[in-house]
Amino acid sequence: MEASYTAFTVKCSVQKKSSSVSRNFYHFNIPLSSSFKPILGSLPQIPLQIDVPKTLTSFTAKILDAFVDSVFEFIDHPLLPSQSNFAPVEQLEEAMLMTDIEGDVPHDFPEGVYVRNGPNPLFGGLKTAKSIFGRSSHVWVEGEGMLHALYFKKASDGNWTVIYKNRYVETETYKLEKQRNKPSFLPAIGGDSLAILSAYLLNWLRFGKVNKYISNTNVFEHSGKFYSIAENHIPQEIDIITLKTLRNWDINGAGDRPFISHPKKAPGTGELIIMGVSPTKPFATLGIISDDGKKLIHKVDIKLNRCSLCHEIGITQRFNVIMDFPLTLDLNRLMRGGPLIEYNKKGYARIGVMPRYGDANSIQWFEVKPNCTFHIINSFEDAHEVVVWGCRALGSVVPRVDPSLNPFEAFSRCYEWRLNLQSGEVNERDLGGTKVLNMDFPTINANFIGIKNRYGYTQVVDPEATYSAGVPKYGGLAKLYFEKACMDLSTNNKQHEEPIKVEYHMFEKNVFCTGASFVLKSDGVEEDDGWIITFIHNEDTDISQAHIIDTRKFSGDAVAKITIPLRVPYGFHGAFMPVSLEA
């Protein structure tokens, strides 16, 4: 059998049974409102949805390029040894056959594609631009999106073929810089306010966009098609087999603003619930896309008073759940010399419950304790309450990890909000008690999104490694048993105080995971009949693998460890797409 494969053909029969839409992180794009019209996107990114002025001649463009080349100096971010696996890798010319597999891919593992998105900056790494205006810098969540995929094909004799491939997501700005063969967009998120403002203006004058389109955060499926996404732009449709970028998904012209990275399929209808956030009014809009992906059938301004950097939306069978928390993007603050992105731990925080096809006037708002929550584990209805489970922190890792905070403040823990739609009261609590470790990047059995579930899975933060690197690292996985604390809640309020059971699957020292996703067994019956699949990297050996872990023997060793013959950098969200493959 040849050691490399260049293609698969696919019967794109997405199995609704496990249409796993995974959940990870943030990006932004900024437009120049009258003068700056920002649009939020890949957490520290900001593109602008305005065409380059028609009066801008090629001669003027050359003058602007010459000005940038002479005034601005691009400097690579230096990488600490603890940051080595955040460095980019080259795109493969051909797919690769995986031959080093310890253990066995389970016989009832489904055919399909495990794909993980993540930043892979062009031209060597993230940049700082230094000039007479000061410095502006990329932040750690930036970098062009690269998809890393493992293809699982089962032969008639039961043997598995596993193929690895990676590929850049080719947004318009990726193609532009690739064609120019040099860094061209000035960093426009972190740094001195004057330098950021000059970066916005010069990027807009030269390219018609104030920041790059990153598409590096998540991958999701809708109506049999697959998309790469980050918050600073509309999604890009991709060919799940070749990983080729096909087109921007503008919902037949109706999609005029970015999506958050975690749209959700509504239980029962299959409609896709989306949100788009902007640093100019309207700060947030909510939309509903038809189950066939062809129409935007509902769109409303939810009339927020600020640009909350919302990364995810929750859904139940009847409601949309909106998080309005005090991590904000504020152009006026930037103009006054303050940071573009800031977390205000004393600012107000609230959760809104909105009927599926409601508007701003129909939202019931619940004031909650100030916090930063990027990821919702799940949300569902329980009698007169809407229950929201999320990964809640008292600080924010964006735009950077704050070394002055202790782990309890800096990193997220599993948390519950119970919102009583009749009384307007809120009950909130830490689900795990004081002994549970910090965790984030949740995943669940996708068949239970929006309805009550018993199990969840997260990546476990390694605080020491995170503080050393200055960016989050995850040294293990956790399985959450919600039923221990949540059974019969309607009749026994005291159980609200009980911590839930948590089981751990921890890696060896200096081994970290990324992109963990739940995979339902092909014949699975119970909610937790399945596996967690994740990429891991051993920083001592510099070896990357994919691990498949039995969720019913969670603390045991992985049932299969697939060694990747090249390094897979840390990234964000992963998803398993159950599709039928033909070699």
Side-chain angles (χ1 to χ4, degrees):
M1 184 174 289
E2 295 179 2
S4 65
Y5 284 69
T6 57
F8 280 90
T9 57
V10 63
K11 292 179 180 176
C12 209
S13 58
V14 178
Q15 301 166 15
K16 294 181 180 178
K17 184 177 186 179
S18 176
S19 131
S20 168
V21 179
S22 117
R23 299 141 264 288
N24 212 350
F25 255 68
Y26 357 80
H27 312 294
F28 313 94
N29 276 300
I30 292 186
L32 310 184
S33 56
S34 341
S35 45
F36 276 53
K37 190 182 181 184
I39 293 184
L40 166 81
S42 179
L43 192 124
Q45 320 261 19
I46 308 172
L48 168 137
Q49 308 285 333
I50 300 181
D51 291 335
V52 177
K54 300 295 188 270
T55 56
L56 187 62
T57 66
S58 60
F59 177 71
T60 307
K62 290 179 181 178
I63 291 177
L64 286 171
D65 275 347
F67 174 76
V68 169
D69 289 342
S70 62
V71 172
F72 290 84
E73 179 186 3
F74 284 97
I75 304 169
D76 284 342
H77 285 198
L79 289 178
L80 301 170
S82 58
Q83 298 171 331
S84 60
N85 198 45
F86 290 93
V89 295
E90 294 295 321
Q91 177 174 295
L92 290 174
E93 294 301 320
E94 293 185 334
M96 305 177 70
L97 175 66
M98 300 296 96
T99 58
D100 186 353
I101 301 177
E102 179 184 338
D104 296 300
V105 177
H107 72 277
D108 47 1
F109 197 80
E111 277 195 351
V113 184
Y114 169 56
V115 57
R116 199 222 65 204
N117 209 339
N120 201 77
L122 279 170
F123 310 118
L126 299 174
K127 308 295 181 187
T128 293
K130 183 174 68 171
S131 72
I132 57 175
F133 306 107
R135 289 173 176 255
S136 64
S137 300
H138 291 132
V139 298
W140 68 274
V141 296
E142 294 189 89
E144 284 72 15
M146 176 176 274
L147 305 176
H148 299 262
L150 281 175
Y151 300 82
F152 292 85
K153 168 64 182 173
K154 189 176 184 180
S156 57
D157 61 3
N159 291 324
W160 286 93
T161 298
V162 183
I163 301 292
Y164 169 78
K165 185 174 180 60
N166 68 17
R167 188 161 184 166
Y168 274 107
V169 182
E170 297 186 358
T171 64
E172 298 100 306
T173 58
Y174 167 88
K175 292 176 183 176
L176 188 153
E177 281 202 322
K178 191 71 174 175
Q179 182 179 22
R180 292 161 73 91
N181 198 31
K182 66 176 183 179
S184 301
F185 279 83
L186 297 167
I189 291 294
D192 302 321
S193 58
L194 183 58
I196 295 173
L197 290 169
S198 64
Y200 289 161
L201 180 60
L202 288 165
N203 287 343
W204 178 68
L205 288 173
R206 298 163 70 214
F207 309 120
K209 303 163 181 60
V210 301
N211 209 344
K212 293 194 286 187
Y213 300 145
I214 305 302
S215 199
N216 70 4
T217 304
N218 195 13
V219 180
F220 68 96
E221 173 272 330
H222 186 60
S223 188
K225 295 183 178 180
F226 304 90
Y227 302 93
S228 173
I229 191 170
E231 274 92 9
N232 67 342
H233 194 32
I234 59 177
Q236 284 69 55
E237 183 183 348
I238 60 171
D239 182 320
I240 197 64
I241 302 305
T242 66
L243 301 184
K244 180 180 179 181
T245 305
L246 301 177
R247 61 187 66 85
N248 290 335
W249 187 34
D250 65 357
I251 321 167
N252 291 323
D256 60 354
R257 64 190 295 148
F259 289 14
I260 58 172
S261 289
H262 298 285
K264 296 287 178 61
K265 283 191 182 181
T269 69
E271 295 165 340
L272 192 69
I273 316 302
I274 64 173
M275 274 186 64
V277 187
S278 169
T280 56
K281 289 185 177 181
F283 292 124
T285 60
L286 181 142
I288 300 178
I289 300 173
S290 59
D291 62 348
D292 62 7
K294 295 179 180 179
K295 294 180 181 179
L296 184 64
I297 58 179
H298 187 65
K299 180 182 177 181
V300 291
D301 173 7
I302 59 178
K303 298 183 179 179
L304 297 186
N305 297 320
R306 60 188 179 184
C307 178
S308 293
L309 296 188
C310 182
H311 181 61
E312 183 155 12
I313 188 170
I315 59 169
T316 72
Q317 290 179 304
R318 295 181 297 159
F319 299 106
N320 310 314
V321 180
I322 300 159
M323 318 291 268
D324 180 15
F325 292 162
L327 176 65
T328 60
L329 188 151
D330 191 331
L331 288 177
N332 291 327
R333 184 172 60 215
L334 179 69
M335 297 286 191
R336 296 191 299 267
L340 176 65
I341 300 170
E342 183 176 57
Y343 174 66
N344 180 4
K345 63 182 179 181
K346 296 183 179 179
Y348 70 88
R350 59 182 186 164
I351 300 175
V353 178
M354 171 186 177
R356 177 74 77 237
Y357 295 95
D359 58 18
N361 295 327
S362 66
I363 301 174
Q364 185 174 353
W365 288 104
F366 296 83
E367 298 292 325
V368 299
K369 297 174 184 177
N371 72 93
C372 180
T373 298
F374 289 116
H375 296 115
I376 294 172
I377 302 169
N378 200 18
S379 49
F380 57 89
E381 298 164 42
D382 186 6
H384 301 303
E385 293 181 317
V386 167
V387 180
V388 183
W389 291 331
C391 296
R392 170 192 181 268
L394 299 176
S396 175
V397 296
V398 175
R400 65 190 62 82
V401 174
D402 186 346
S404 69
L405 299 178
N406 63 47
F408 187 87
E409 298 173 307
F411 308 121
S412 55
R413 300 165 63 83
C414 292
Y415 202 77
E416 176 184 83
W417 296 270
R418 301 187 71 91
L419 315 172
N420 192 307
L421 301 180
Q422 289 190 342
S423 68
E425 294 179 346
V426 179
N427 285 308
E428 49 184 298
R429 65 167 180 140
D430 190 318
L431 284 174
T434 57
K435 295 183 179 180
V436 170
L437 303 180
N438 299 101
M439 53 188 71
D440 207 337
F441 285 81
T443 181
I444 66 171
N445 182 330
N447 293 328
F448 289 81
I449 292 175
I451 60 178
K452 189 172 183 179
N453 59 308
R454 292 183 293 161
Y455 306 101
Y457 309 89
T458 64
Q459 297 175 186
V460 177
V461 177
D462 184 324
E464 182 180 352
T466 295
Y467 283 130
S468 174
V471 290
K473 286 186 176 182
Y474 301 90
L477 301 162
K479 180 179 182 180
L480 312 174
Y481 292 77
F482 295 113
E483 80 284 358
K484 180 178 179 180
C486 298
M487 61 171 56
D488 299 324
L489 286 176
S490 58
T491 59
N492 188 353
N493 262 346
K494 291 183 180 180
Q495 292 191 38
H496 285 305
E497 305 305 318
E498 295 180 10
I500 65 173
K501 176 183 175 181
V502 180
E503 186 177 2
Y504 294 101
H505 180 99
M506 302 304 292
F507 303 114
E508 298 173 5
K509 185 177 177 60
N510 294 329
V511 176
F512 306 100
C513 68
T514 179
S517 181
F518 178 82
V519 182
L520 184 64
K521 287 183 180 179
S522 54
D523 58 353
V525 176
E526 297 296 327
E527 180 188 334
D528 65 340
D529 275 348
W531 299 272
I532 293 293
I533 185 170
T534 183
F535 283 116
I536 67 100
H537 185 74
N538 186 319
E539 295 189 353
D540 291 334
T541 63
D542 202 30
I543 292 174
S544 295
Q545 295 180 318
H547 284 196
I548 299 175
I549 299 150
D550 189 333
T551 53
R552 292 199 152 189
K553 301 175 182 176
F554 194 74
S555 59
D557 200 15
V559 297
K561 299 178 180 179
I562 304 165
T563 297
I564 316 297
L566 47 76
R567 184 171 59 85
V568 179
Y570 301 130
F572 298 139
H573 292 287
F576 187 86
M577 307 298 187
V579 296
S580 296
L581 303 172
E582 289 185 356

